[in-house]
Amino acid sequence: MNDGSDLAIISGSGKLPLLIKKSFKKATYITFNKSEKIPVDNVLECEFEKLGSLFENLKKNNISRIVMAGAISRPQFERKKMDEYTFSIMPILSAKLVRGDNELLSFIAGEFERNGYEIVGASEILPELLLKPGFVYGTPYQSVQRDIIKADKVLKMLSSEDIGQGVVVENGLVLGIETLQGTNELLKFVKKTSSHLRTAEIGGVFVKRPKVNQNLQFDMPVIGPETINLACSAGLRGLVVSPLSVIVLDQEKCLKIAKANNFFILAKEPTN
């Protein structure tokens, strides 16, 4: 592993960007949130309206690789602040902003590549964050196999519309679908489900997978201890993710929470 002197981290929310920075100490940490205090060195504050300036700064810092990590809210561009480069791509970028995440991120990644930068995935430089096939904790539950199959069918239907990466199913019924608000809000929503709509003592399953044709190099699903805590709090029995396709942060802590709640974690390919 090198020191990351040729690497720039396009940082969004969550722990993943800082985790990458911890592993690659000389990497350039790029933030678009000027109000946020970043507890690392070599930070480059940028503005969405000045992408041309960003490319110039990357070149000055001898950056050749880019990793995108963490969720970034869709920006509101101020026309008067735009540099010439950003202004030139706005007609296409504006159209992408109202489309799905995959299409938007593919366009942005393409602009980096067009300017000579290599896009690398967080999982490529930190492969230990992925789960291999099999049970991380727990044992098979025949009673939830039907729910996993149902969840996979729902995700397959939603995938073509670029809607979400997760769904909760309990006793054959869909309790919630991940949308723009994200995983945590989905699980909080499920927790609020009226008891008469749920089956006592069965517990549902949360299935989290990439969308079909999702580019995992810059848009891989991420879960962590908070995900497991919220799923347990929502009365779910387990979590299913796609092996080698979902980043799991703080895996030891996730395992500890799972054991304390008799909550299974399974890495398994889709059933359909």
Side-chain angles (χ1 to χ4, degrees):
M1 181 182 291
N2 63 30
D3 59 10
S5 57
D6 67 329
L7 179 69
I9 304 165
I10 306 294
S11 70
S13 60
K15 296 180 178 180
L16 183 57
L18 290 174
L19 183 61
I20 296 172
K21 176 64 174 174
K22 183 179 179 181
S23 298
F24 297 89
K25 300 187 184 303
K26 291 190 178 182
T28 299
Y29 193 95
I30 297 172
T31 177
F32 291 92
N33 186 355
K34 291 186 176 181
S35 63
E36 182 183 12
K37 292 184 178 180
I38 310 297
V40 295
D41 56 7
N42 202 17
V43 175
L44 182 61
E45 293 184 346
C46 299
E47 295 178 271
F48 290 110
E49 293 88 352
K50 293 180 169 55
L51 296 178
S53 297
L54 170 58
F55 292 137
E56 290 176 6
N57 283 320
L58 292 176
K59 186 176 181 179
K60 289 177 183 177
N61 284 279
N62 297 313
I63 299 300
S64 60
R65 297 184 299 155
I66 304 291
V67 59
M68 299 180 181
I72 298 178
S73 299
R74 295 179 182 231
Q76 298 293 323
F77 288 87
E78 294 184 40
R79 192 180 186 88
K80 62 182 180 181
K81 294 173 63 177
M82 290 183 194
D83 62 18
E84 185 177 349
Y85 185 92
T86 308
F87 186 80
S88 71
I89 65 170
M90 272 312 294
I92 300 176
L93 182 55
S94 295
K96 300 296 183 182
L97 284 167
V98 296
R99 305 294 294 271
D101 287 344
N102 197 58
E103 192 165 335
L104 173 60
L105 290 171
S106 293
F107 173 74
I108 294 173
E111 289 302 303
F112 277 97
E113 291 175 334
R114 199 160 66 87
N115 282 274
Y117 301 100
E118 178 190 0
I119 300 293
V120 296
S123 63
E124 293 177 53
I125 56 179
L126 293 177
E128 65 271 19
L129 298 179
L130 303 178
L131 298 182
K132 295 178 181 179
F135 274 90
V136 179
Y137 175 74
T139 54
Y141 290 94
Q142 285 301 120
S143 60
V144 299
Q145 292 304 313
R146 178 182 64 163
D147 290 344
I148 296 173
I149 293 171
K150 178 69 173 282
D152 283 338
K153 287 182 179 178
V154 173
L155 286 175
K156 187 176 182 179
M157 289 189 293
L158 295 174
S159 186
S160 63
E161 297 299 326
D162 200 5
I163 292 177
Q165 304 168 331
V167 63
V168 175
V169 178
E170 182 177 271
N171 196 30
L173 301 176
V174 177
L175 297 186
I177 293 169
E178 180 184 338
T179 52
L180 188 62
Q181 291 79 5
T183 297
N184 291 352
E185 294 306 313
L186 160 64
L187 295 172
K188 291 174 185 176
F189 173 80
V190 170
K191 182 180 179 180
K192 296 176 183 177
T193 304
S194 298
S195 58
H196 74 277
L197 296 175
R198 302 189 63 174
T199 304
E201 299 182 359
I202 286 186
V205 60
F206 174 41
V207 179
K208 176 84 169 178
R209 303 191 187 281
K211 289 168 277 189
V212 175
N213 298 323
Q214 182 170 332
N215 193 322
L216 301 182
Q217 205 170 37
F218 49 78
D219 187 22
M220 183 173 284
V222 179
I223 62 170
E226 187 175 8
T227 313
I228 309 301
N229 264 323
L230 288 170
C232 292
S233 180
L236 303 184
R237 179 171 286 189
L239 165 72
V240 179
V241 300
S242 294
L244 304 176
S245 300
V246 175
I247 289 174
V248 183
L249 303 175
D250 297 325
Q251 292 182 16
E252 288 186 9
K253 191 172 183 180
C254 288
L255 186 59
K256 184 177 180 180
I257 297 168
K259 287 180 178 179
N261 291 275
N262 194 26
F263 180 89
F264 74 81
I265 301 176
L266 171 63
K268 181 179 183 293
E269 294 291 352
T271 51
N272 52 66

